[in-house]
Amino acid sequence: MTSRQLLVIQDTPALLSALVETITEKFNGEWLVISDNAITTTCLPTKQAKMLLGREFKHAIFDATSGFNLDAFTILAGTLVKGSHLLLLLPLNLLTRPDNDSLRWHESLQPIVTPNFYRYLLQTLQQHKIERLTAEQYLSRQPNQALCGDQAVSDQPKPLTLSPTFAQCRLLLKLRKLSARIAIVTAKRGRGKSALAGLFTHQQDCWICAPNKASITTLQQFAKADTPFFAPDNLLKQLNDSVIPPEWIVIDEAAMIPLPLLKAIIEKANRILLLTTTEGYEGTAQGFLVKLLPNLQNFAHFNLISPIRWDQEDKLEKFIADLLVEDHQVNPVSLLCDQTTIKIEKVASISLSQNKSQFLQLYGLLKTAHYRTTPIDLRRLLDATNVSITQAKCKDQLIGVVVAIKEGQLPLDLAKQVWLGTRRPKGNLVAQSLAAHAGELVAAQLTSLRINRIAIHDDVRRQGVGKALVANQIEQAVQQGCDFVSVSFAYQPTILNFWQHCGFQLVHIGSHQEAS
């Protein structure tokens, strides 16, 4: 069997540790282990999972007994070659145990219980007929069926070959003959997109660009050795400074670059190849496809479909795609909305875990509107206690959603430290900014509501849906006794204009550029 297999082992910490020791010491296969509990001397912490990008392994173990880092889990799965087994370790008390991963996405000092996510996880496992075993049940299986790999243990990256696959070779030939000025290549994980970008530099004079240099490890392994790399802002500066650019500019993970910056680069480039992953830990390219492509001229769009590391019908990929809502398509709507036909209502997180169809629609709309919607957002929506979700419907069709976070109410001592600049605890983004940057000590002590995400279906834009949702959030804030409502966003003139029309006042612009 070449399809990769996911097996869930649920047991006590002691028995799970013994299982990992048995597997890693006695059986063939690489058995890469990711764990925040140091269950082996060579295990990799979840925060270092990105180090695995571009590498391949045969068999792995993911320890989620203290917390479930979906990003790391997805990255690990993407490294496994066909025929691999992925063991997911879970504790017995899933629904009542505090999840340490919540410290990444929930604004609290202590981890919280996350029952809604685990209900959603168990439901998805059941739908895909994925077994849950005890450690004893797993070890009782015949080793040849469950535990044997066909590769020796190795902690070194496998050597890469520059030979393209048939699909890559065919696409490289099309790109060589292409008359369009702009080429766009999209693909899911494991399709060889970054390798294709590197191979392309051998046949054309190119500059390479990406959101950050760490994201092009695979590309550079395949690229011509002396191909220059530029960060997006530096690339645009080079183009604006009348530096003579090469014939082609190659941008990997283009969906992670803010659209205004990306559009400016496209306008200045002679010819440009844009590549982006459509799903996964990087976020989604759906917003990129919806917002960029309709405004482009003289472009060709290609898609790498066949996976390279695993089979077309791979069971593990299908499970992860379902869990992360990767293949959900937002249905088009043909509606005229006004204040009398828009129905706005709050959505309880527990209902999302119990009604998968509702969750798919809501999360799918967020992914379409925001290129940075990632697995962290999935976890936050399902279990964060300081988050409220509000949806807008017209004739029973979902047309908008807004996610807001409760902030403030910091103790006086902590608020003073924030005000003095000696502390910057996680969370409370705007409340802390007003205290630290604007010198308003009281802002950190007040109760506030920050609008974190707002997504409107493209087919009903400019029909007042967004303003109606924002007005509803302000009304909810008044009812909850909040002192003010805030919003934080990636600056674009059109977005600023929207918020100002909703009555908001610009009070702070960040002084540091983020990585993208």
Side-chain angles (χ1 to χ4, degrees):
M1 181 180 292
T2 58
S3 180
R4 299 175 304 162
Q5 303 292 310
L6 173 65
L7 287 169
V8 179
I9 316 298
Q10 195 170 2
D11 217 318
T12 64
L15 290 175
L16 290 175
S17 294
L19 171 70
V20 172
E21 183 178 359
T22 300
I23 292 173
T24 55
E25 289 186 359
K26 295 185 178 180
F27 298 97
N28 293 332
E30 288 167 315
W31 291 110
L32 173 66
V33 181
I34 288 188
S35 172
D36 288 328
N37 299 314
I39 55 177
T40 68
T41 56
T42 58
C43 66
L44 192 71
T46 55
K47 64 182 180 181
Q48 295 181 23
K50 286 191 175 182
M51 295 170 54
L52 303 176
L53 293 174
R55 299 175 62 180
E56 294 182 355
F57 297 91
K58 187 70 178 272
H59 305 320
I61 299 171
F62 187 84
D63 178 13
T65 55
S66 61
F68 202 122
N69 185 316
L70 269 177
D71 306 79
F73 179 71
T74 307
I75 291 172
L76 176 62
T79 68
L80 299 180
V81 298
K82 64 177 63 178
S84 293
H85 286 248
L86 174 56
L87 271 58
L88 172 60
L89 309 185
L90 294 177
L92 292 174
N93 50 347
L94 278 180
L95 304 183
T96 57
R97 181 185 179 115
D99 189 312
N100 287 339
D101 188 63
S102 64
L103 295 173
R104 292 194 308 138
W105 45 263
H106 189 266
E107 298 177 355
S108 61
L109 298 178
Q110 298 297 326
I112 63 170
V113 177
T114 60
N116 294 328
F117 167 72
Y118 285 110
R119 290 191 187 99
Y120 172 72
L121 172 67
L122 295 177
Q123 180 185 3
T124 308
L125 288 168
Q126 185 177 16
Q127 289 174 345
H128 287 259
K129 298 180 180 179
I130 294 172
E131 295 180 282
R132 279 194 290 158
L133 307 171
T134 64
E136 182 180 2
Q137 287 172 330
Y138 183 73
L139 286 173
S140 67
R141 292 187 161 198
Q142 295 181 25
N144 287 336
Q145 291 181 346
L147 297 173
C148 280
D150 55 10
Q151 299 180 22
V153 176
S154 171
D155 60 358
Q156 298 297 321
K158 290 184 173 56
L160 294 167
T161 173
L162 291 180
S163 301
T165 64
F166 176 74
Q168 289 171 332
C169 187
R170 185 172 56 182
L171 184 46
L172 286 168
L173 183 61
K174 288 181 179 179
L175 291 172
R176 182 179 296 176
K177 297 179 178 181
L178 189 68
S179 60
R181 188 177 74 86
I182 303 168
I184 298 173
V185 177
T186 55
K188 289 187 175 182
R189 295 180 306 274
R191 267 66 181 174
K193 165 192 61 65
S194 295
L196 174 87
L199 293 166
F200 182 77
T201 67
H202 291 268
Q203 67 181 40
Q204 300 290 347
D205 181 26
C206 301
W207 285 352
I208 297 172
C209 176
N212 53 73
K213 200 164 186 177
S215 65
I216 61 164
T217 302
T218 301
L219 190 159
Q220 288 189 312
Q221 288 173 321
F222 284 86
K224 189 177 178 182
D226 58 350
T227 307
F229 168 82
F230 296 91
D233 55 343
N234 190 22
L235 173 60
L236 183 58
K237 183 178 184 301
Q238 295 288 328
L239 296 173
N240 285 332
D241 288 347
S242 300
V243 175
I244 300 176
E247 181 180 0
W248 284 90
I249 289 173
V250 178
I251 301 184
D252 200 13
E253 296 306 347
M256 296 180 68
I257 298 174
L259 282 178
L261 177 56
L262 187 61
K263 288 178 180 177
I265 293 172
I266 292 172
E267 289 176 1
K268 293 284 186 179
N270 291 325
R271 304 185 75 184
I272 192 163
L273 172 61
L274 305 173
L275 306 101
T276 196
T277 307
T278 51
E279 301 293 349
Y281 55 88
E282 307 93 338
T284 176
Q286 298 308 310
F288 166 87
L289 296 175
V290 170
K291 293 179 175 62
L292 181 67
L293 263 60
N295 299 314
L296 291 181
Q297 295 180 342
N298 192 21
F299 75 93
H301 183 194
F302 306 98
N303 189 19
L304 284 170
I305 298 174
S306 299
I308 295 175
R309 287 183 187 152
W310 50 80
D311 292 335
Q312 186 73 42
E313 298 299 317
D314 184 74
K315 293 180 179 180
L316 178 57
E317 182 178 48
K318 289 182 179 294
F319 167 75
I320 290 178
D322 190 15
L323 183 70
L324 300 184
V325 197
E326 291 185 353
D327 296 325
H328 178 75
Q329 298 296 320
V330 176
N331 295 324
V333 299
S334 54
L335 300 168
L336 290 177
C337 304
D338 57 39
Q339 299 303 313
T340 63
T341 58
I342 299 173
K343 182 181 179 182
I344 297 177
E345 57 190 6
K346 291 192 69 172
V347 179
S349 294
I350 191 171
S351 71
L352 296 177
S353 67
Q354 296 171 342
N355 186 339
K356 190 166 184 177
S357 175
Q358 181 187 27
F359 181 68
L360 292 178
Q361 292 181 46
L362 190 146
Y363 189 64
L365 181 58
L366 280 172
K367 291 182 70 175
T368 299
H370 290 277
Y371 71 96
R372 281 198 156 187
T373 300
T374 68
I376 282 182
D377 296 287
L378 185 148
R379 299 228 53 192
R380 182 184 289 118
L381 286 176
L382 286 172
D383 282 298
T385 58
N386 61 339
V387 164
S388 63
I389 307 164
T390 305
Q391 66 182 12
K393 285 189 169 184
C394 184
K395 298 179 181 178
D396 293 326
Q397 295 191 57
L398 181 68
I399 57 174
V401 60
V402 62
V403 180
I405 299 175
K406 204 79 170 286
E407 291 192 338
Q409 293 184 307
L410 297 184
L412 178 58
D413 287 347
L414 180 56
K416 283 184 177 180
Q417 293 177 64
V418 170
W419 178 65
L420 291 169
T422 59
R423 288 282 303 276
R424 195 65 191 268
K426 191 174 180 180
N428 295 287
L429 177 66
V430 173
Q432 290 199 65
S433 179
L434 289 173
H437 301 133
E440 297 289 350
L441 172 62
V442 70
Q445 299 173 267
L446 298 176
T447 302
S448 60
L449 190 72
R450 175 167 63 91
I451 297 176
N452 171 251
R453 287 276 204 275
I454 183 167
I456 308 301
H457 197 297
D458 278 337
D459 293 343
V460 296
R461 288 183 180 275
R462 301 190 180 280
Q463 296 185 33
V465 181
K467 288 184 179 180
L469 276 169
V470 173
N472 175 268
Q473 292 301 291
I474 295 172
E475 182 181 340
Q476 285 190 39
V478 171
Q479 293 173 356
Q480 296 169 18
C482 292
D483 298 293
F484 64 91
V485 179
S486 68
V487 62
S488 57
F489 55 90
Y491 176 81
Q492 293 181 31
T494 54
I495 296 179
L496 173 61
N497 184 59
F498 168 78
W499 289 111
Q500 288 178 329
H501 274 80
C502 290
F504 286 77
Q505 178 183 353
L506 180 63
V507 296
H508 180 68
I509 297 177
S511 57
H512 295 89
Q513 286 187 324
E514 59 181 24
S516 65

